[in-house]
Amino acid sequence: MIFILLLPLTMTATTGKELYQTKQCQICHGETGTEKIQGMPRLWGQQKQYLINQMENILSGKRDNSYSQLMKMNYTSTRSKESDSMKNELTAKDIKVLADFFNNLKR
């Protein structure tokens, strides 16, 4: 099992590409949203609503496997008080911005 702790960034992202980098998604998904870690889901080329559904299902716990647990751990605000300063929360707006970004990349 792979554990990655993402550090919070204070920069405000204005585009999907900036948000992808700010949220450090490229650590697992690669610079272009293609698989960087073997078995990690590919984001590039996926439909917008599919990506929204998957990210929402992961964060809600509806989708649960080792990769989704990693994402949920890093992008929800359910951590203990000791690590609250480390959270890198992924909001509903963030999810839509990221889904738009990958949906608009040339296939």
Side-chain angles (χ1 to χ4, degrees), residues 77-95:
S77 59
T78 58
R79 296 181 186 196
S80 69
K81 288 184 180 182
E82 295 80 38
S83 62
D84 272 347
S85 63
M86 301 295 281
K87 71 182 173 187
N88 195 16
E89 192 169 359
L90 194 62
T91 67
K93 181 181 176 184
D94 294 340
I95 289 171

Side-chain angles (χ1 to χ4, degrees), residues 20 28-36 40-44 102:
Y20 186 73
C28 296
H29 294 284
E31 291 297 324
T32 60
T34 56
E35 175 184 342
K36 181 173 182 176
M40 191 60 64
R42 174 180 55 86
L43 304 176
W44 177 83
F102 282 104

Side-chain angles (χ1 to χ4, degrees), residues 10-56:
T10 57
M11 181 172 92
T12 302
T14 58
T15 68
K17 184 175 183 176
E18 290 173 346
L19 182 62
Y20 186 73
Q21 293 168 344
T22 300
K23 296 295 184 176
Q24 302 175 358
C25 306
Q26 73 279 7
I27 292 171
C28 296
H29 294 284
E31 291 297 324
T32 60
T34 56
E35 175 184 342
K36 181 173 182 176
I37 297 175
Q38 185 175 3
M40 191 60 64
R42 174 180 55 86
L43 304 176
W44 177 83
Q46 300 292 348
Q47 296 293 317
K48 177 182 176 179
Q49 193 57 52
Y50 173 80
L51 290 171
I52 290 171
N53 291 343
Q54 294 306 309
M55 286 187 272
E56 287 176 348

